[in-house]
Amino acid sequence: MATFLYKLGRLSFRRRHFVALIWVALLTLAGVGAASAPAAGNSSFSIPGTEAQKAFDLLEQRFPGTSADGATARVVFKAPSGEKMTDPGNKATVQDTVKELSDGSEVVRVTDPYRAKAVSKDGTIAYAQVSYKVSGMELDDAAKEALKDSAQDARKAGLTVEIGGDALQAVPHTGSSEVIGIAVAAVVLVITFGSLVAAGLPLLTALIGVGIGVSAITGLASALDLGSTTSTLAMMIGLAVGIDYALFIVSRYRAELAEGREREEAAGRAAGTAGSAVVFAGLTVVIALVGLSVVNIPMLTKMGIAAAGTVAIAVLIALTMVPALLGYAGRKVKPMGEKGKLLGRAQKKDQPAKPNLGTRWASFVVRRPVAVLLLGVIGLGAAAVPAASLELGLPDDGSQPTSTTQRRAYDLLSEGFGPGFNGPLMVVVDAKDSDDPKAVFTETGDEIKGLKDVVTVTPAQPNKAGDTATITVIPGSQPSSVTTENLVHGIRDAGADIKADTDANVLVTGSTAMNIDVSEKLNDALVPYLVLVVGLAFLLLIVVFRSILVPLKAALGFLLSVMAALGAVVAVFQWGWLSGLMGVEQTGPVMSMMPIFMVGVVFGLAMDYEVFLVTRMREAYVHGEKPAQAVVTGFRHGARVVTAAAVIMMAVFAGFIGSSESMVKMIGFGLAIAVFFDAFVVRMAIVPAVLALLGRKAWWLPKWLDRALPNVDVEGEGLRTASGDDDRELARV
């Protein structure tokens, strides 16, 4: 592989005009496609195989024309102090509002609180439900303004009015912090390279790669039903890995120049050595992201594949466009050790080289491996403690900031009708195969009334054919509580008995039941996902490092960092620690997909640093150095670059903490803190400590396996032989 990438790097350097033209053409093509593509609507959220999804699909078949996936709004009214909603003046105001809301062209129906018995027992709170033909993201601005204006008119009459539901759903934005993250990355690159030109190359190539990836996603969003979060995630990961991959190749190029090689030869060698590490690092990220498809949640699968595609583009750009741009830069990119005017003079040749910080740190770890190892493991273990209190759920209006009308409407409904009113359960009774459907509907309602934590059971509402009915159940507990989860399972158990007696299917759906099913599906998929992703990456790393213990150590270190990161997420987003600093206005359960998503993405990113750092150690060991000295050599060449790469990745991820969407904010924080733990604690402290303790055993590989594995030559031995650099004896391992 090193030889092939070496030739590709030299070709890209020589044919830089052609390479640059290809990538600019691809960027232009993707941009035109994104601009001309139809606007994407709200991404559908389906969970194949779950009971809640089966019930939802059945409703669409048996109750056609009900716009089951349309937006809804709950307009909640509260009477002034000392008054009731049944007072004539307040009642007239509500009825006028209902009439005004009914005039909208996209409105399907509006319920009258007084006819629908939607007035609280104490008479102080009432609500009207508005159903629309289209989803919240597709609802036009005129309809949203009409909804707000109707509420404002009722407020002028003296009522407190708030609006819940998804009708006022807004497209999320990331804010200016994303730009700040890129600016921090630029500063780190300038400090690392000491040159604006060298620093600009990784930024430019990363932006081109992300531009192509995100434009392609935007262009295909409508056809493939991709949500806004998909492009945000692709941008987040694409920027981070794109900058890092280019950073490693440019750094290796400067090191090759420092050894006296011509620029084209240096570009080829950088692509052959650092480029090999980029390929394998990119493969681990792609495996982790594509592996999300095993969960069988379409939204998560699409997010993973789209982000993986952006990573693949970043790898290709690093291998081709970076050498091409190095050709354009010429002498403006200086050899390692030479600094431009920006950061001062270079070190004089007659001065003895001072050990850099990476060398000094690695030497310390090699001398005190046990102390460093214990300190790192105990520290990450302490950070992981909050993960034991992890509570999972999907966001609803109750997780919104208290400043929003959706959250205030949620609180008013809880106050007037009980905490379970915001999470009603919809029971769908399919009695098509039963002899007496009406009797089945009545029996089902009676069975549910006898269960614990049930406040209200509405009469069955049959369809026109009379073979299917819906029953609404109001729990006594809030939607995210364990009690409500137990009630859902209780209804399903009762439904199994009814099916045995009557051949009728009883299914539970609704947002609360869907959340419960999602959480269970994700929990069930976590272990198979870990086995698949970690297993494939483990085999890949065995090929790269030709060792058993090094990949095993890499996987165990990843588990430490991801558990510590989950602990930090729980502490901030669930417990509220430093929530003000992070802009978290409302704490609550961690999103159900967060653990499995973090496992996938963090594993891929963690292997990036493992490959980049340990490949240098492996290269030194293969070329004859003792194990302890190889660790120090690896840090001398790689610590500064890995540190810069980690800081850049943290800055890019942290930039998304400013997003208005809680999922993006949580992912940004989780990935940023995970990179910190993995890069600076696991890879910079635990890894050298473990390798120092293992010595030569770290690079042990059974002879039969050594013969069976393909030789990918990540260390670039073939390049040394081909170019006549045989003056150093290559050690056999």
Side-chain angles (χ1 to χ4, degrees):
M1 175 177 285
T3 304
F4 169 76
L5 294 178
Y6 165 77
K7 294 177 180 178
L8 180 63
R10 293 195 64 169
L11 179 65
S12 299
F13 188 95
R14 287 197 309 271
R15 306 296 184 189
R16 47 187 172 273
H17 302 308
F18 180 69
V19 171
L21 183 62
I22 288 178
W23 285 112
V24 171
L26 288 174
L27 178 61
T28 304
L29 184 64
V32 171
S36 59
N42 191 28
S43 178
S44 60
F45 186 79
S46 61
I47 313 295
T50 61
E51 181 172 313
Q53 186 63 46
K54 291 177 182 176
F56 185 79
D57 295 339
L58 183 64
L59 282 173
E60 290 189 330
Q61 295 174 11
R62 304 289 174 83
F63 292 83
T66 57
S67 299
D69 58 347
T72 59
R74 276 181 171 177
V75 183
V76 188
F77 306 89
K78 183 175 182 179
S81 179
E83 299 181 17
K84 293 189 176 182
M85 291 305 304
T86 52
D87 293 346
N90 294 335
K91 186 174 182 179
T93 299
V94 172
Q95 290 176 331
D96 289 343
T97 303
V98 170
K99 183 178 180 181
E100 186 178 348
L101 289 169
S102 302
D103 294 336
S105 60
E106 294 182 320
V107 175
V108 176
R109 76 181 69 84
V110 182
T111 61
D112 186 322
Y114 303 101
R115 294 182 180 178
K117 298 181 180 179
V119 181
S120 62
K121 290 182 179 180
D122 61 5
T124 61
I125 297 175
Y127 73 92
Q129 181 149 320
V130 188
S131 300
Y132 293 90
K133 298 176 183 177
V134 296
S135 66
M137 295 295 286
E138 297 170 315
L139 200 62
D140 62 36
D141 293 338
K144 294 181 180 181
E145 289 302 321
L147 180 60
K148 295 176 183 177
D149 292 342
S150 299
Q152 188 59 35
D153 292 340
R155 291 190 187 103
K156 291 178 181 178
L159 298 178
T160 298
V161 186
E162 304 296 346
I163 304 171
D166 61 352
L168 296 182
Q169 184 177 5
V171 177
H173 58 85
T174 54
S176 60
S177 54
E178 177 187 340
V179 179
I180 295 174
I182 297 176
V184 171
V187 171
V188 173
L189 287 169
V190 170
I191 294 173
T192 303
F193 292 136
S195 164
L196 288 175
V197 174
L201 290 181
L203 280 177
L204 178 60
T205 54
L207 290 173
I208 290 174
V210 168
I212 294 172
V214 173
S215 296
I217 291 170
T218 304
L220 298 172
S222 179
L224 301 181
D225 191 28
L226 304 177
S228 59
T229 307
T230 304
S231 59
T232 304
L233 175 67
M235 182 189 302
M236 183 190 302
I237 295 179
L239 270 176
V241 299
I243 294 173
D244 279 7
Y245 294 166
L247 166 65
F248 279 97
I249 290 181
V250 174
S251 297
R252 187 61 183 249
Y253 171 77
R254 296 176 70 228
E256 296 293 338
L257 288 179
E259 293 184 9
R261 292 188 173 88
E262 295 295 327
R263 293 187 177 273
E264 183 179 329
E265 177 70 11
R269 285 177 170 270
T273 52
S276 298
V278 166
V279 169
F280 282 101
L283 273 175
T284 59
V285 180
V286 168
I287 288 172
L289 290 170
V290 174
L292 290 170
S293 58
V294 303
V295 184
N296 197 25
I297 296 179
M299 185 184 77
L300 199 59
T301 299
K302 292 171 186 177
M303 288 171 62
I305 293 176
T310 308
V311 172
I313 292 172
V315 171
L316 291 174
I317 283 184
L319 296 175
T320 57
M321 193 169 186
V322 170
L325 292 180
L326 289 172
Y328 282 117
R331 297 185 180 278
K332 293 180 181 179
V333 177
K334 299 184 180 298
M336 188 77 72
E338 287 188 24
K339 294 185 178 180
K341 298 178 181 178
L342 191 65
L343 292 180
R345 300 176 180 175
Q347 178 180 295
K348 294 181 180 180
K349 293 183 179 181
D350 56 349
Q351 290 180 344
K354 294 182 179 179
N356 60 21
L357 182 60
T359 303
R360 297 196 298 271
W361 169 250
S363 299
F364 170 77
V365 174
V366 168
R367 291 196 304 270
R368 301 283 188 271
V370 175
V372 172
L373 178 62
L374 289 177
L375 187 61
V377 172
I378 292 172
L380 290 179
V385 169
S389 302
L390 178 67
E391 296 177 9
L392 299 177
L394 288 178
D396 56 16
D397 284 348
S399 62
Q400 297 267 13
T402 53
S403 58
T404 61
T405 185
Q406 292 94 330
R407 172 58 190 276
R408 292 195 292 264
Y410 181 97
D411 292 340
L412 283 177
L413 289 172
S414 296
E415 176 187 339
F417 301 92
F421 193 78
N422 283 293
L425 306 175
M426 180 177 287
V427 179
V428 182
V429 185
D430 179 9
K432 190 174 184 178
D433 298 330
S434 300
D435 297 330
D436 189 356
K438 290 184 178 179
V440 173
F441 301 155
T442 303
E443 179 185 350
T444 302
D446 292 341
E447 285 286 337
I448 294 173
K449 288 177 183 177
L451 299 176
K452 294 181 180 179
D453 200 47
V454 173
V455 175
T456 304
V457 179
T458 64
Q461 301 292 323
N463 62 350
K464 290 182 179 180
D467 59 4
T468 307
T470 60
I471 300 173
T472 301
V473 180
I474 306 298
S477 304
Q478 63 183 14
S480 59
S481 67
V482 176
T483 307
T484 300
E485 183 178 348
N486 292 336
L487 174 59
V488 170
H489 290 301
I491 296 174
R492 288 172 174 171
D493 291 340
D497 296 335
I498 293 172
K499 180 176 176 59
D501 297 337
T502 65
D503 290 329
N505 288 318
V506 178
L507 307 172
V508 185
T509 188
S511 60
T512 301
M514 185 69 83
N515 290 355
I516 292 170
D517 287 349
V518 169
S519 297
E520 292 179 351
K521 191 176 183 70
L522 289 168
N523 288 337
D524 293 342
L526 185 57
V527 173
Y529 176 71
L530 271 173
V531 171
L532 173 69
V533 173
V534 177
L536 287 175
F538 182 78
L539 294 176
L540 188 65
L541 292 179
I542 289 178
V543 174
V544 174
F545 296 128
R546 309 194 77 78
S547 163
I548 298 293
L549 295 180
V550 170
L552 180 62
K553 173 258 317 162
L556 293 176
F558 150 73
L559 291 176
L560 274 175
S561 59
V562 79
M563 288 304 298
L566 276 176
V569 169
V570 170
V572 173
F573 290 87
Q574 187 176 310
W575 291 359
W577 293 5
L578 302 177
S579 57
L581 181 63
M582 298 296 165
V584 181
E585 297 185 43
Q586 181 61 38
T587 59
V590 174
M591 277 173 296
S592 300
M593 63 181 67
M594 190 67 185
I596 198 166
F597 183 80
M598 279 192 65
V599 164
V601 177
V602 174
F603 181 79
L605 299 179
M607 295 306 103
D608 273 6
Y609 300 116
E610 181 75 15
V611 170
F612 288 133
L613 193 60
V614 181
T615 297
R616 272 288 194 165
M617 299 178 190
R618 165 79 183 174
E619 185 177 342
Y621 179 70
V622 165
H623 293 137
E625 293 188 6
K626 294 181 179 179
Q629 184 57 40
V631 171
V632 177
T633 300
F635 266 76
R636 182 172 68 250
H637 292 296
R640 179 184 176 89
V641 181
V642 169
T643 300
V647 172
I648 289 169
M649 196 170 279
M650 288 168 56
V652 173
F653 288 148
F656 289 84
I657 296 175
S659 174
S660 62
E661 187 166 317
S662 58
M663 180 177 180
V664 175
K665 182 188 291 287
M666 192 178 293
I667 289 174
F669 171 80
L671 295 183
I673 198 70
V675 169
F676 172 78
F677 286 144
D678 195 85
F680 293 106
V681 181
V682 174
R683 309 303 155 190
M684 290 289 186
I686 293 178
V687 165
V690 171
L691 291 178
L693 289 172
L694 290 175
R696 293 186 180 275
K697 295 178 182 177
W699 307 107
W700 172 79
L701 186 70
K703 292 183 179 179
W704 64 268
L705 185 56
D706 188 25
R707 291 191 297 268
L709 291 177
N711 183 15
V712 295
D713 190 20
V714 176
E715 301 85 15
E717 292 181 34
L719 299 183
R720 290 173 177 266
T721 304
S723 60
D725 290 350
D726 296 338
D727 50 350
R728 285 186 239 172
E729 182 90 27
L730 298 183
R732 291 184 176 269
V733 289

